[in-house]
Amino acid sequence: MAGLLGGGGGGGLRGHGELPLNADINVTSLVDVAFVLLIIFMITAPIMQGGVDVRLPRAQARPLDPKEGLVVTLDREGRVYLDQAALSYEDFRATFPAFVRTKRPSGVYLRADGRVAYASVVQVLAVIRAAGIQDVGLVAEPETVGP
């Protein structure tokens, strides 16, 4: 009768050491999840670097790859893009110094469409320099030499 009530025969799951509790983290599952997340980020990171579509001018220079820092883009219509956010020139001039004070970018890369007026590029560059940024890179496409 004692065996039916669970009193003595050792038939319980946690009673007398037959099946001890295991409080360890399952590291194999944790590593599997970490690897899956790593692969997802490795695939999506280059896709997210796309940026605004502009036709960059060609120059005989070493190509700059704007991987780190802030990217400012000036398109053909005169819109200024701060990373991906479209702004008018007036809004860019008003908000860029505050943005620099909060984000503190290591450098700024200016991508301007080759068909945009030179005066617009100089105006945007002047706003960047007035905000205290000394390291400004001008992004261009490398020239291709024909046969």
Side-chain angles (χ1 to χ4, degrees), residues 25-114:
I25 296 175
N26 190 351
V27 178
T28 305
S29 297
L30 182 67
V31 170
D32 288 346
V33 170
F35 278 141
V36 168
L37 289 175
L38 178 68
I39 291 170
I40 289 171
F41 287 126
M42 286 173 54
I43 291 171
T44 58
I47 295 170
M48 297 173 65
Q49 185 72 22
V52 180
D53 187 29
V54 292
R55 185 189 309 169
L56 294 174
R58 298 198 177 274
Q60 186 176 357
R62 182 177 57 88
L64 281 176
D65 192 17
K67 289 184 179 175
E68 295 180 2
L70 179 64
V71 178
V72 176
T73 305
L74 181 62
D75 71 356
R76 187 174 186 183
E77 286 77 32
R79 287 186 301 264
V80 181
Y81 291 84
L82 193 56
D83 278 337
Q84 300 292 324
L87 302 168
S88 67
Y89 171 73
E90 291 77 21
D91 291 339
F92 173 72
R93 187 177 63 198
T95 59
F96 187 72
F99 185 79
V100 167
R101 282 193 299 273
T102 57
K103 296 292 183 185
R104 300 198 183 277
S106 59
V108 174
Y109 294 96
L110 178 58
R111 299 176 69 233
D113 194 297

Side-chain angles (χ1 to χ4, degrees), residues 74 89 116-126:
L74 181 62
Y89 171 73
V116 74
Y118 178 68
S120 299
V121 176
V122 171
Q123 288 174 338
V124 170
L125 189 57

